[in-house]
Structures are given as structure tokens and as C-alpha cells.
């Protein structure tokens, strides 16, 4: 099992290219099932989750070419409508084949999902929405089995804001008969990016970027070319790296317009932030100031940046509160940070952090994707050497993170295990 050896690394300086967003690429890859024509995606990150989905779709008969950051798909001859447990158990985004398969082929058999153990993420809203559109659904032996001769337009009010639920129902609705109204939809930039790609494929979608999506179904979609939106979470992680190490980083190929809540907290921490259309520069010349954080759906502060900002608060001047409202089990990195000398007390979904002037290198274990990143950030600040184990989580969402950080002054070594 691979590990990262992270050595004390301050004053990072230079440029880092931001990759395409994993959480945008995954649903768009699944959207390739909606057409028999070729779909070409650019700016696709080379990540474990992308490779997992590539294997899943390849097993269904989709012809795929992945070269550099370009993926092309041809789903003209799909041979299987089953997403088996072996794929879905490691990555819950695999459930996003459900909507496209039912919409185009009238049947799908998809294992109930797995992924990071950060809390319950049920698929009840996916099922509720598809049933409202006329699908017959049963759950047997751990699989969702859905069928419909053709989905029908419906008004669907989601009980909670769900990103994958919105994406699944949006992809189902584009080929449904009639008009579908999706209320209380997720507004994340990754959802918007999916909608823009679907529109290029011939879908009729109004309200993009709002919490109400109005979809007029069409008979079929065609192929297109689409470039995946920049990863706001990767960009945010590197921005925090600049703040923690009192560095000066310019993040190229970024999308600051999708990062408003993150940027606001960076400025409150004392960072100097310069925004452009496709870049973000973050510089910190003094010890950061503590900032209170409360995670909420977009456009508020993202849960996927909570762990990274917790590390910043651990070394900041002052005390702070962090409130996690999205996932009930997303403080698993707290014991690992405390092993390094952090002062954190947790009560339910609230963490109180007292900043310290020094962390100490230690052997720590990554528990989920973003927790992994928080430990790398802590390791760069800490005295001595930090060994981060179970970094397969990290490889699910960060493209060559050690290379990108080493290019701006970090000292991180991957040890094969």
C-alpha cells in the first residue's frame, strides 16, 4: 500500500496547473450512455475514480479511448445494463449510470453504492424521482433494478439537496416524454457543467445554475465535444497550502468564479488573493488568522474543503469553530491531526480548534479523500517527517498531488507498498 513521506516544507512559491474536476467529469462520463454518437471530453483528470468508471463502462460495451486529458466514448453497442458491486462498492458515483441506462434502454441494474465512509449518503431521492417519472423499481440482493418503457416528465421536489441525485434525474429527464421539473436541485458548478454538456448534446434544459431545472425531453441526443470545468476543490486545497506555508502560489487554469465561499475565508484568514478569469493567486506573509466555518450546499462553503481549512485553523492564531452540516461522520481526520499536536475538541457536528504554533511529524492514516489532503497539508507545516498511510483515498481525487507540490518547493516522496 503506497504512502507519502511529507517533510517540513514552508514558503511554497510558483505556479500550479489546476486539473479538471473529478466531480464534474464522473457524471459527464456517465452521460456518454445517453447517445449512440461519439462524446469527446477534454480536461479530464487522470484519477483512480476515472479509471474505475472507465472499467465499468468498458464492461458494458462502451468503446473508450483515454489519451492524455482527452477521453472519447462510443456507446452505440452497449452489451450490458448492469453495474456490478465490484465497481460501485469503491465509488458511489457509479450509481450515476442508473438514470442514463433507464432513460435510453428502459432498464438498469445497479448495485447500491459505496465510496468514502464519511456518512450515510442514501439514494432514496434518485429512486423517488425515477418512480415519479414512471419507472418500476425494486431493490433485490443489494441491487437497484429499474425498468420503464419510456420515462415520463414529472414534477419532482427533492427532500434534500443532493448532487448525485440531481445529476441522475437530470440525465434521466433529458430523454423522457414531456417536461420534468426538478425542484430543490443542487446548484454546484459540477451539476452546471453536466447541464452545459447535455445541452451541447441536444438536451433542452432551462434554469441552469438555479435550484429549479426545467427539462423538456427529446427523442435522442447526439455527440459533442466538451471541456470539463476546473476542479474548485483541488484549487482550494492548493490555495490553503499557500496560506499554511506562508507561500505565494498562482493556480492556473482555475475558475475563481466557482470558489466564492472559499476565497472569502482565505481573505478572512489574512491571505492576499488576486482573481482572474482563469487563475487565482494566493499569498500569505504572516501566520494565518482563525476563521469559523460552516459547511452548506453551494454556493455556501463546501464540505469538501472542511478538512483542509481545519488544518489551517490548527496552525492559525486564535480559536475557531467548524460546523459540519452535510455529513455526520466527516471528522475522522481529527484524531490524526491531534497525533501531530493539534488542539481539537469535537462535540457532535461542531469542532472547536485552538491554533498552535507548531505541529510535529507523525505516522498518520488517511480515512477519506479530503482527510488525506488535510494530512498532507499538516505534514508540510510540521517539524520533521510525516508518513501518510492509505493514500489510495488521495489518488481518487488529486492528480499527481506530490508532483504538483514538489514543483513549488515541497518535499514529498511516494513510497510504493
Amino acid at each position: 500500500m503506497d504512502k507519502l513521506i511529507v517533510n517540513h516544507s514552508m514558503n511554497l512559491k510558483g505556479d500550479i496547473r489546476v486539473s479538471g474536476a473529478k466531480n464534474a467529469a464522473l457524471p459527464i462520463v456517465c452521460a456518454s450512455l445517453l447517445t449512440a454518437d461519439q462524446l469527446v471530453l477534454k480536461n479530464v483528470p487522470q484519477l483512480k475514480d476515472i479509471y474505475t468508471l472507465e472499467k465499468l463502462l468498458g464492461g458494458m460495451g462502451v468503446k473508450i479511448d483515454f489519451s492524455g486529458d482527452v477521453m472519447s466514448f462510443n456507446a452505440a453497442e452497449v452489451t450490458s445494463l448492469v453495474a456490478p458491486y465490484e465497481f460501485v462498492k469503491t465509488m458511489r458515483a457509479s450509481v450515476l449510470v442508473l438514470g442514463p441506462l433507464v432513460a435510453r434502454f428502459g432498464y438498469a441494474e445497479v448495485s447500491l453504492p459505496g465510496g468514502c465512509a464519511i456518512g450515510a449518503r442514501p439514494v432514496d431521492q434518485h429512486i423517488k424521482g425515477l418512480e415519479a417519472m414512471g419507472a418500476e423499481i425494486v431493490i433485490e440482493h443489494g441491487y437497484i433494478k429499474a425498468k420503464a418503457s419510456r420515462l415520463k416528465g414529472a414534477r419532482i421536489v427533492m427532500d434534500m439537496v443532493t448532487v448525485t441525485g440531481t445529476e441522475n434525474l437530470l440525465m434521466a429527464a433529458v430523454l423522457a416524454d414531456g417536461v420534468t421539473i426538478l425542484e430543490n436541485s443542487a446548484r454546484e458548478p459540477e451539476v452546471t457543467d453536466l447541464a452545459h454538456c447535455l445541452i451541447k448534446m441536444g438536451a433542452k434544459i432551462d434554469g441552469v445554475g438555479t435550484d429549479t431545472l426545467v427539462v423538456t425531453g427529446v427523442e435522442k441526443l447526439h455527440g459533442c465535444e466538451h471541456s470539463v470545468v476546473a476542479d474548485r476543490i483541488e484549487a482550494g486545497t492548493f490555495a490553503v497550502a499557500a496560506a499554511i506555508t506562508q507561500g505565494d502560489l498562482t493556480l492556473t487554469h482555475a475558475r475563481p468564479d466557482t470558489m466564492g465561499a472559499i476565497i472569502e475565508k482565505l481573505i478572512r484568514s489574512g491571505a492576499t488573493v488576486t482573481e482572474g478569469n482563469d487563475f487565482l493567486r494566493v499569498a500569505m506573509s504572516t501566520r494565518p488568522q482563525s476563521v469559523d466555518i460552516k459547511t452548506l450546499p453551494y454556493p455556501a462553503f463546501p464540505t469538501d474543503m472542511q478538512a483542509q481549512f481545519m488544518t489551517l485553523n490548527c496552525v492559525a492564531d486564535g480559536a475557531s469553530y467548524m460546523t459540519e452540516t452535510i455529513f455526520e461522520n466527516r471528522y475522522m481526520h481529527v484524531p490524526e491531526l491531534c497525533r501531530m499536536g493539534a488542539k481539537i475538541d469535537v462535540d457532535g457536528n461542531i469542532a472547536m480548534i485552538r491554533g498552535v504554533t507548531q505541529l510535529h511529524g507523525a505516522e498518520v492514516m488517511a480515512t477519506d479523500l479530503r482527510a488525506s489532503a488535510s494530512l498532507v497539508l499538516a505534514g508540510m507545516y510540521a517539524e520533521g517527517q510525516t508518513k501518510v498511510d492509505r493514500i489510495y483515498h488521495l489518488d481518487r481525487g488529486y492528480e499527481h498531488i506530490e508532483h504538483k507540490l514538489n514543483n513549488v518547493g515541497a518535499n514529498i516522496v511516494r513510497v510504493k507498498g
Side-chain angles (χ1 to χ4, degrees):
M1 193 176 296
D2 289 5
K3 299 181 181 181
L4 285 184
I5 308 300
V6 185
N7 296 285
H8 179 68
S9 308
M10 293 295 287
N11 308 120
L12 300 185
K13 188 173 183 178
D15 296 353
I16 297 180
R17 189 191 195 283
V18 177
S19 300
K22 170 184 81 85
N23 289 338
L26 293 174
I28 298 174
V29 168
C30 294
S32 67
L33 292 165
L34 288 165
T35 179
D37 296 342
Q38 186 178 57
L39 174 65
V40 178
L41 294 185
K42 299 179 180 179
N43 201 33
V44 180
Q46 297 179 16
L47 299 171
K48 185 176 179 181
D49 277 8
I50 300 294
Y51 298 134
T52 298
L53 200 53
E54 179 186 20
K55 291 179 182 177
L56 172 59
L57 266 62
M60 292 177 169
V62 180
K63 293 181 174 59
I64 303 172
D65 180 72
F66 194 0
S67 178
D69 67 349
V70 179
M71 290 187 86
S72 62
F73 306 85
N74 189 309
E77 298 179 4
V78 171
T79 56
S80 172
L81 304 178
V82 178
Y85 176 68
E86 64 180 291
F87 293 111
V88 187
K89 71 178 180 180
T90 61
M91 185 185 66
R92 76 180 311 273
S94 302
V95 78
L96 288 169
V97 302
L98 178 63
L101 288 177
V102 177
R104 182 175 165 208
F105 300 102
Y107 185 79
E109 194 170 320
V110 180
S111 171
L112 289 168
C116 283
I118 56 176
R121 294 186 284 178
V123 293
D124 57 318
Q125 299 303 304
H126 307 231
I127 294 170
K128 168 190 166 182
L130 288 172
E131 287 179 333
M133 298 168 74
E136 297 178 17
I137 298 178
V138 296
I139 298 178
E140 293 180 342
H141 309 295
Y143 279 77
I144 305 166
K145 299 179 180 180
K147 64 179 180 179
S149 55
R150 186 183 180 188
L151 295 173
K152 306 292 184 182
R155 177 174 176 262
I156 302 167
V157 181
M158 280 171 272
D159 298 331
M160 57 181 290
V161 178
T162 161
V163 172
T164 54
T166 299
E167 292 166 342
N168 234 340
L169 297 178
L170 178 61
M171 288 189 283
V174 295
L175 292 181
D177 181 16
V179 177
T180 299
I181 301 173
L182 300 176
E183 297 188 44
N184 198 28
S185 296
R187 294 184 284 167
E188 273 71 5
E190 297 78 17
V191 177
T192 297
D193 201 40
L194 169 64
H196 288 318
C197 181
L198 292 170
I199 290 170
K200 289 180 184 178
M201 296 169 70
K204 297 180 179 179
I205 307 170
D206 293 317
V208 176
T210 75
D211 62 2
T212 302
L213 298 173
V214 181
V215 186
T216 302
V218 297
E219 288 289 334
K220 66 177 183 178
L221 298 181
H222 52 72
C224 76
E225 288 191 5
H226 181 77
S227 184
V228 176
V229 70
D231 192 329
R232 62 194 172 103
I233 305 302
E234 184 195 45
T237 301
F238 293 136
V240 171
I244 287 176
T245 67
Q246 297 177 31
D248 186 346
L249 296 178
T250 298
L251 311 176
T252 66
H253 299 81
R255 282 283 301 273
D257 59 311
T258 67
M259 299 173 62
I262 299 170
I263 291 170
E264 190 267 339
K265 294 299 182 183
L266 285 166
I267 293 172
R268 289 174 69 90
S269 76
T272 299
V273 179
T274 306
E275 299 178 47
N277 290 333
D278 61 353
F279 77 89
L280 182 71
R281 182 181 178 185
V282 180
M284 181 75 83
S285 58
T286 61
R287 185 183 177 192
Q289 295 295 310
S290 295
V291 289
D292 292 335
I293 300 287
K294 183 177 183 179
T295 65
L296 288 166
Y298 188 85
F301 191 88
T303 181
D304 278 356
M305 283 300 303
Q306 175 257 109
Q308 299 91 311
F309 266 84
M310 181 176 283
T311 298
L312 184 147
N313 279 334
C314 285
V315 302
D317 183 18
S320 59
Y321 287 93
M322 306 198 77
T323 306
E324 174 59 59
T325 74
I326 307 298
F327 296 120
E328 73 276 9
N329 196 26
R330 205 161 198 180
Y331 285 146
M332 290 187 292
H333 48 284
V334 168
E336 305 305 305
L337 289 171
C338 289
R339 282 175 51 78
M340 301 176 69
K343 303 295 184 183
I344 309 170
D345 294 306
V346 175
D347 183 7
N349 68 332
I350 299 175
M352 198 277 276
I353 303 128
R354 289 165 290 169
V356 298
T357 57
Q358 189 60 64
L359 297 177
H360 307 283
E363 293 190 22
V364 293
M365 180 177 67
T367 52
D368 64 67
L369 170 54
R370 305 307 172 184
S372 306
S374 75
L375 297 176
V376 172
L377 295 174
M380 288 192 296
Y381 184 88
E383 286 183 338
Q385 190 175 82
T386 299
K387 296 180 181 179
V388 184
D389 201 358
R390 294 175 61 180
I391 61 167
Y392 57 84
H393 291 293
L394 193 71
D395 293 337
R396 289 185 49 234
Y398 290 92
E399 186 177 32
H400 311 307
I401 188 171
E402 70 272 24
H403 299 310
K404 290 187 176 185
L405 288 171
N406 285 342
N407 285 339
V408 293
N411 184 350
I412 305 172
V413 178
R414 180 180 291 256
V415 177
K416 297 290 184 180

